[in-house]
Amino acid sequence: MKPGEDIFVHVDQTLTHDINAVMTYLAFEQIGMDRIGVDTAVSYLDHNLLYIDYKTPDDHIYLQSAAKRFGVYVSRPGNGICHAVHLARFGKPGLISMGGDSHTPHGGAIGMLAIGVGGMDVATAMTGVPMRLTMPRVVNVYLTGHLRPGVNSKEVILQMLKKVSIKGGLGKVYEYTGPGAASLEVPQRATITNMGAEMGATTSIFPADEPVRRYLTAQGRTEDYTELLPDEDAEYDERIEINLSELQPLVACHPQPDRVIPACEAPKQQVSQVFNGSCTNTSYADVAKAALVLRGHHVNENVQCTCGICSRQTYKALMKDGYIDMLIDAGVRMLEISCGPCCAIGQTPPTNGIAVRTSNRNFKGRAGNPNAKIYLVSPETAAATAIRGTLTTAEEILGDQTGILDGIHEPEVYDSNDNMLIPPLPRKEAEKVPLVKGPNIQYLPVPEKPDEVLDAKVSLKGTDNISTDDITPASAELSSMRANIPLMSRYCYMRYDPKFAERAGKLGHSIIVAGENYGQGSSREHAAINPVYLGVSCVIAKSIARIHRGNLINHGIVPMYFENKEDYDGIDLLDELRIDNFPKQIMGKRVLVQNVTKNTSFYAVLDLSPAEMEVVLDGGQLRHLKKQRKELGVPTGAEIQEIHVKPQA
Ligand code: MIC
Ligand code: SF4
């Protein structure tokens, strides 16, 4: 297995979540299989539980019916955030899981190879076919020392982000080993593997060792434990060393997770919101430590402090041990068990507000307000900040009492009651289950194959680091539109370039030009589906983030790179670009692009593997799969709903 080459992996488990999965199950329906082909698939209803109107409940009813129909578990609203529940109740060392969410690597905390992909990839994985992956480079992160009290494993991943940057992890798997790794409990490890997504990594993983055995035993699942340690003579492509004892509280400053500085050097500005929440950093120990910092204090009068815990079992353990009481006494507002504010579903900061969060992303607009600033910290720092109202560390509040935080560990037994999981039905019963589609559930649009001649205008000239939050902003309202592309596409790029949707719609076919790291952030394939619906045929960028690149390919948008990055400067919005013999040039992986407006030309290159090339030439993954299934003589599902792009009057 050579880095950069195609490899194919057998996927054991898949996960999907409510704000993405409607498209995934619509695709699965269209593929034509009547039941999943993986051992375990779970559909989590966890991100958008606000139900501001009929749309999200419509989605949830459809997802529950699709799960019953196809043999998938449902984790009901209130059970917890997908990654936390999956790790606790389904994950096993040595398995491979694929999830339609960028933070799926959370599962790496117990020695699973857990990879985040787009929804169409999950639909494909659910069929049971081996999944294509670019063989990554493997980086060993050797941890020594011990975290000091008041210093969280969040500091490890923030330190990594500082070293590696938001795109430095592209094409890499980070394997954490060493005595420092052995000293971390599973949820602490999960904070690190979860947020490895922010480096653009394929995934991150810890060994399955004694702490993993303890964790699975606490979940009543000792039998799922298998020891998996790195070989003595394991070779790595790179090595990074971090001494945990030397770490101090850190903060990732607005607007990128790699803008990391020591918390003590952060400017003392008034903070308006503190959010202790998300899948990244709300384990039992995380929240208990935050509660100990807050004990005997009260949330600053200028701060709104909320807490959203990652799972029902964690919430119950914290309640039993009195930590929820401490939070409530301190004036913390307890939220529902869901993603919520982490992806702009509620708790938007005020105008020009500063929000301090324990979550993993701080892109502009991530919290629903593009003029607010988000700073990412540990739960201990978040709690101290809630008291003072400016960025503060736990040590500044607790002084010589900081050592009490060292006494907090994960419970020896969690409540492993699975009554909020709906198990799959036996095949015979499942076949009779109808798929329930309310009016919010529209069709999955699929583009045509690449045209012989692409003659199209530039509908967007983007800067570096455009995130999927820029392309398809999130909020309770916008996230509830994800099953309805004709509606949602009207809001494409709404905060980054409010005229984009109208412009692209009017142009018919168009091209997006962008800088480095295009499409960083979440796995939401809507960042490809909405542009495709608006007629975008290709993206020419300096570089493209891994998951988004896969989504573009799957949805028939051709991803291309400037051969010479300076050529980016010679293109303007609305320039007319022309590519002759497009499919043939795609096959040659080097495309001559004529700028008709400027009377210049430049080359764009493609880095497609042979398997990806076929998908692109077939017009996306769904057409490709259906073609393959037709060749095999197996059912190919319903007719594809094509988009016929026509310029609007
Ligand atoms: C996120 O954290 O941005 C999300 C919301 O979980 C996304 C998924 C999505 O946007 O649908 C992710 O990380 O992939
Ligand atoms: Fe949910 Fe936030 Fe985790 Fe994404 S990062 S899965 S939105 S809690």
Side-chain angles (χ1 to χ4, degrees):
M1 297 194 293
K2 295 207 187 81
E5 284 189 352
D6 269 358
I7 56 170
F8 290 83
V9 297
H10 173 83
V11 174
D12 303 290
Q13 302 190 336
T14 60
L15 72 84
T16 57
H17 63 66
D18 51 355
I19 61 172
N20 266 345
V22 172
M23 290 296 131
T24 307
Y25 291 98
L26 288 179
F28 192 77
E29 269 185 54
Q30 293 221 2
I31 293 170
M33 301 237 332
D34 57 3
R35 200 170 174 89
I36 55 158
V38 285
D39 292 346
T40 309
V42 192
S43 175
Y44 290 92
L45 308 182
D46 60 346
H47 274 58
N48 191 358
L49 306 189
L50 284 189
Y51 290 14
I52 52 164
D53 60 20
Y54 68 95
K55 297 193 203 67
T56 307
D58 271 11
D59 293 356
H60 284 189
I61 289 171
Y62 166 69
L63 290 172
Q64 198 157 321
S65 71
K68 282 214 163 128
R69 177 75 187 75
F70 298 124
V72 175
Y73 281 91
V74 172
S75 174
R76 297 175 60 186
N79 197 34
I81 302 176
C82 51
H83 308 303
V85 176
H86 205 84
L87 183 81
R89 307 308 306 150
F90 293 98
K92 288 183 197 166
L95 296 191
I96 296 187
S97 76
M98 267 194 181
D101 188 279
S102 60
H103 295 105
T104 304
H106 196 89
I110 53 170
M112 284 217 290
L113 201 68
I115 300 172
V117 290
M120 181 66 78
D121 280 326
V122 181
T124 309
M126 283 197 300
T127 68
V129 298
M131 291 299 290
R132 195 203 64 80
L133 202 70
T134 308
M135 176 62 197
R137 290 164 63 79
V138 185
V139 183
N140 180 211
V141 187
Y142 191 78
L143 302 180
T144 58
H146 266 274
L147 291 174
R148 291 183 295 115
V151 179
N152 189 281
S153 62
K154 179 69 148 277
E155 268 61 75
V156 179
I157 190 63
L158 291 182
Q159 181 70 13
M160 284 292 291
L161 272 152
K162 190 175 174 185
K163 269 185 201 282
V164 170
S165 90
I166 46 172
K167 58 182 175 81
L170 194 70
K172 296 179 184 171
V173 167
Y174 289 85
E175 184 178 328
Y176 290 81
T177 66
S183 74
L184 298 175
E185 294 188 279
V186 164
Q188 293 178 299
R189 297 175 177 194
T191 299
I192 298 171
T193 57
N194 173 299
M195 225 179 142
E198 271 51 71
M199 304 189 296
T202 304
T203 191
S204 304
I205 193 163
F206 275 80
D209 54 4
E210 184 50 26
V212 175
R213 194 195 57 74
R214 270 205 309 277
Y215 178 77
L216 289 174
T217 302
Q219 292 291 346
R221 300 203 287 132
T222 317
E223 70 284 1
D224 288 341
Y225 174 69
T226 321
E227 187 181 70
L228 282 174
L229 308 175
D231 294 338
E232 293 273 305
D233 58 351
E235 284 176 16
Y236 297 93
D237 296 300
E238 270 175 61
R239 189 169 191 270
I240 295 176
E241 195 167 323
I242 294 183
N243 182 348
L244 302 184
S245 314
E246 286 171 4
L247 290 175
Q248 53 175 323
L250 297 171
V251 49
C253 302
H254 166 86
Q256 303 289 354
D258 62 355
R259 301 227 172 139
V260 175
I261 58 169
C264 61
E265 287 173 19
K268 292 276 179 207
Q269 294 159 304
Q270 177 65 50
V271 168
S272 33
Q273 287 190 352
V274 170
F275 171 55
N276 238 302
S278 90
C279 56
T280 314
N281 237 169
T282 55
S283 67
Y284 173 92
D286 282 339
V287 181
K289 285 176 189 173
L292 283 185
V293 175
L294 280 154
R295 186 172 54 176
H297 295 275
H298 205 270
V299 171
N300 184 281
E301 64 179 19
N302 297 315
V303 176
Q304 294 291 328
C305 183
T306 52
C307 178
I309 292 168
C310 63
S311 71
R312 194 169 64 126
Q313 59 163 223
T314 309
Y315 203 118
K316 285 185 70 181
L318 287 159
M319 206 152 57
K320 183 168 125 284
D321 295 344
Y323 292 111
I324 302 289
D325 263 3
M326 283 180 209
L327 293 173
I328 291 176
D329 283 345
V332 175
R333 292 161 47 199
M334 299 307 295
L335 302 180
E336 198 168 359
I337 300 166
S338 74
C339 298
C342 175
C343 54
I345 295 173
Q347 307 310 320
T348 296
T351 306
N352 302 327
I354 293 186
V356 169
R357 297 184 157 205
T358 61
S359 48
N360 48 31
R361 290 195 168 132
N362 57 351
F363 307 135
K364 187 170 174 229
R366 169 75 180 177
N369 179 357
N371 60 43
K373 294 193 169 84
I374 306 176
Y375 291 78
L376 304 173
V377 298
S378 71
E380 294 90 320
T381 304
T385 302
I387 298 167
R388 290 263 171 95
T390 53
L391 256 165
T392 306
T393 63
E395 204 168 354
E396 288 177 72
I397 299 288
L398 294 174
D400 56 11
Q401 293 297 300
T402 312
I404 56 165
L405 299 176
D406 247 357
I408 305 287
H409 298 284
E410 289 297 314
E412 277 172 24
V413 182
Y414 298 91
D415 178 356
S416 52
N417 175 341
D418 281 333
N419 63 8
M420 289 289 271
L421 286 174
I422 306 176
L425 287 176
R427 186 183 278 266
K428 275 262 159 298
E429 278 173 61
E431 279 166 5
K432 294 183 214 125
V433 174
L435 294 165
V436 188
K437 291 182 187 163
N440 193 43
I441 318 283
Q442 297 283 323
Y443 69 103
L444 170 65
V446 177
E448 290 157 82
K449 295 178 180 192
D451 287 333
E452 274 308 310
V453 176
L454 178 65
D455 195 335
K457 290 195 173 169
V458 174
S459 53
L460 182 113
K461 178 152 184 215
T463 49
D464 290 346
N465 297 319
I466 288 186
S467 75
T468 56
D469 278 289
D470 291 320
I471 309 172
T472 42
S475 72
E477 197 178 3
L478 292 165
S479 300
S480 72
M481 296 176 192
R482 290 202 189 180
N484 187 339
I485 302 299
L487 175 64
M488 194 192 183
S489 60
R490 293 186 211 158
Y491 302 89
C492 191
Y493 272 113
M494 144 195 150
R495 293 190 193 125
Y496 186 87
D497 178 352
K499 296 249 163 68
F500 171 80
E502 196 193 342
R503 186 187 311 128
K506 283 198 174 134
L507 287 175
H509 282 300
S510 72
I511 296 174
I512 288 180
V513 170
E516 300 281 2
N517 204 20
Y518 179 70
Q520 68 160 329
S522 92
S523 68
R524 66 189 73 147
E525 58 182 347
H526 295 74
I529 303 176
N530 285 308
V532 112
Y533 183 78
L534 294 169
V536 174
S537 305
C538 65
V539 168
I540 311 176
K542 292 185 186 171
S543 62
I544 304 179
R546 177 186 69 88
I547 302 181
H548 188 60
R549 177 183 167 280
N551 287 336
L552 292 176
I553 294 171
N554 284 343
H555 291 284
I557 298 188
V558 187
M560 305 202 279
Y561 303 97
F562 288 99
E563 190 174 69
N564 293 314
K565 291 188 179 177
E566 306 81 66
D567 288 329
Y568 167 89
D569 301 323
I571 306 177
D572 288 312
L573 185 70
L574 294 180
D575 277 2
E576 181 183 342
L577 305 184
R578 182 183 165 101
I579 304 173
D580 291 321
N581 301 321
F582 195 26
K584 199 158 161 222
Q585 292 212 64
I586 291 175
M587 279 189 261
K589 295 196 191 173
R590 190 165 184 249
V591 171
L592 178 67
V593 186
Q594 297 164 52
N595 187 332
V596 179
T597 312
K598 300 262 161 59
N599 202 13
T600 54
S601 62
F602 63 93
Y603 278 102
V605 291
L606 294 94
D607 70 346
L608 301 175
S609 72
E612 289 171 336
M613 176 74 74
E614 283 185 38
V615 174
V616 164
L617 293 173
D618 283 344
Q621 175 75 348
L622 193 55
R623 278 185 197 285
H624 176 67
L625 274 179
K626 284 170 93 77
K627 185 177 107 183
Q628 281 183 330
R629 290 177 66 82
K630 200 166 173 192
E631 282 162 10
L632 289 169
V634 293
T636 56
E639 279 305 298
I640 279 177
Q641 306 252 15
E642 294 182 352
I643 327 168
H644 296 278
V645 181
K646 285 189 203 75
Q648 288 169 4

